[in-house]
Amino acid sequence: MKDFISLSNWATKELWYLIDLAKHLKYELRSGGNRPVMHGKVLAMIFQKPSLRTKVSFEVAMKQLGGDAIYLGPEEVGLGKRESVPDVARVLSVYTQGIMARVFDHHYIEELAKWSPLPVINGLSDEHHPCQVMGDMLTIYEHFGRLERLKVAYVGDGNNVAASLVLAAAHFGMHFTIGAPEGYMLPEGVLDEAAPIAERNGGKINLYNDPYEAVAGADIVYTDTWVSMGQEAETASRLKIMEPYQVNHKLVARANQYAIVMHCLPAHRGQEITDEIADGPQSVIFPQAENRLHMQKAILVKLMA
Ligand code: CP
Ligand code: NVA
């Protein structure tokens, strides 16, 4: 595959390869530093939305691998506004060796990939967040020593992170459940893509409106913001509808005794997750954030080295 846009069109064995490579690069970094396999390569990073983890981890990843990265914020590029997406894609292709983009509309990523001969990496769109979720798979693998047959319960808004999570769970033979209000479930299209992947790999998918049913016996409880970037106008109604879906002590008590709690961050403490849980003994949110760096490197090496 030239690009890393959605987990739906990647082969399961290639995703396992990314996990192995990320583990190797993490070990290599800790035992003296990474080899400069990206020497002379530059990653263009287009951001239409804010970011802490994605921006910093991609930039640090390129630098630790001996390459470089250029941050292009909304003011610089004006993707699709100041300049058409095909033109941006073709111009960046003459200066850099790869493009990572965070966009409002998923269609922009697909257009960049179509018009650029370079690898294009999805750093989050309204529909998917594949880099996040592959980092999360590394975290889960490190914690449990396996992925298959683990139950991952996603609670709250069926958003971009949830969409990538159901696809990853399907690839890795996990049991994915979601507890989300009516109207905020995963989009039909993603479920249609995930179902055959789950079937091939022994995964299972169950949808619930009741968060307690979704979380029962889960090994991993996962949540994300109730108001994703771009949905700010819906804040009041979303906060009200999602209230029963808070990941708090009472909800986590329904999960497996040894369950871990995950959040891609940024967290809205007191909304989708309580301080007690985010900072409690079951939370892995900071190792999870760290693994973004190691997984990003694996994706970069696989596509660009
Ligand atoms: N989780 C994540 O993608 O964080 P940022 O929005 O800060 O990049
Ligand atoms: N669902 C969130 C994820 C942020 C990393 C958003 O799109 O804003």
Side-chain angles (χ1 to χ4, degrees):
M1 296 295 293
K2 175 176 88 72
D3 309 300
F4 192 72
I5 289 181
S6 158
L7 301 182
S8 60
N9 54 5
W10 269 59
T12 302
K13 71 171 190 332
E14 295 297 328
L15 298 178
W16 272 116
Y17 174 79
L18 288 179
I19 291 185
D20 283 344
L21 185 56
K23 276 187 343 204
H24 165 77
L25 292 164
K26 183 172 181 175
Y27 174 79
E28 187 182 69
L29 177 71
R30 289 180 173 183
S31 35
N34 292 124
R35 285 179 308 122
V37 291
M38 289 294 188
H39 178 72
K41 307 221 164 161
V42 177
L43 178 73
M45 308 194 296
I46 304 175
F47 282 90
Q48 288 190 323
K49 300 176 181 181
S51 168
L52 173 64
R53 280 144 292 272
T54 306
K55 172 180 187 283
V56 178
S57 59
F58 265 108
E59 189 163 335
V60 170
M62 281 304 287
K63 290 189 169 151
Q64 289 182 343
L65 292 167
D68 219 333
I70 299 176
Y71 171 78
L72 298 162
E75 307 311 318
E76 280 102 332
V77 182
L79 192 65
K81 295 188 178 75
R82 180 172 183 266
E83 197 159 354
S84 78
V85 179
D87 286 0
V88 171
R90 287 176 290 180
V91 169
L92 286 176
S93 305
V94 301
Y95 300 135
T96 69
Q97 287 68 47
I99 300 171
M100 189 276 288
R102 167 167 289 194
V103 299
F104 282 103
D105 187 336
H106 187 74
H107 187 65
Y108 284 132
I109 297 270
E110 289 175 337
E111 280 275 284
L112 283 170
K114 180 175 159 199
W115 287 93
S116 170
L118 304 180
V120 173
I121 299 170
N122 182 356
L124 180 148
S125 67
D126 57 340
E127 292 181 18
H128 294 279
H129 198 1
C131 299
Q132 173 68 51
V133 159
M134 283 306 293
D136 300 339
M137 292 296 125
L138 174 61
T139 306
I140 297 170
Y141 186 86
E142 287 177 332
H143 189 87
F144 291 100
R146 69 185 164 98
L147 295 174
E148 57 281 5
R149 296 183 309 285
L150 292 174
K151 176 169 173 177
V152 52
Y154 179 94
V155 182
D157 180 27
N159 62 15
N160 43 7
V161 171
S164 288
L165 194 61
V166 70
L167 288 165
H171 277 288
F172 295 114
M174 301 169 87
H175 179 190
F176 175 91
T177 63
I178 180 169
E182 207 60 61
Y184 295 87
M185 272 289 165
L186 285 166
E188 286 286 321
V190 172
L191 291 170
D192 291 343
E193 286 175 345
I197 301 173
E199 178 145 356
R200 278 202 299 279
N201 296 295
K204 237 165 65 172
I205 300 167
N206 290 114
L207 318 178
Y208 302 97
N209 291 132
D210 179 353
Y212 288 88
E213 275 190 73
V215 162
D219 300 295
I220 301 116
V221 179
Y222 198 125
T223 191
D224 181 20
T225 182
W226 293 337
V227 186
S228 284
M229 293 178 277
Q231 299 172 335
E232 290 76 8
E234 300 167 30
T235 302
S237 62
R238 284 176 164 270
L239 296 194
K240 196 164 161 36
I241 292 163
M242 305 279 176
E243 219 170 280
Y245 295 83
Q246 183 184 66
V247 173
N248 52 31
H249 185 67
K250 200 169 147 220
L251 185 70
V252 173
R254 282 290 185 96
N256 178 339
Q257 188 185 351
Y258 301 106
I260 56 172
V261 175
M262 302 184 81
H263 191 309
C264 60
L265 303 178
H268 305 79
R269 290 160 176 262
Q271 293 179 14
E272 75 272 6
I273 194 163
T274 58
D275 277 332
E276 183 190 27
I277 291 296
D279 299 326
Q282 289 171 284
S283 168
V284 298
I285 61 181
F286 296 108
Q288 180 184 1
E290 184 199 330
N291 276 337
R292 291 293 307 277
L293 173 68
H294 308 299
M295 181 50 70
Q296 243 88 276
K297 282 184 188 165
I299 295 164
L300 291 165
V301 169
K302 168 102 177 115
L303 296 182
M304 282 172 67

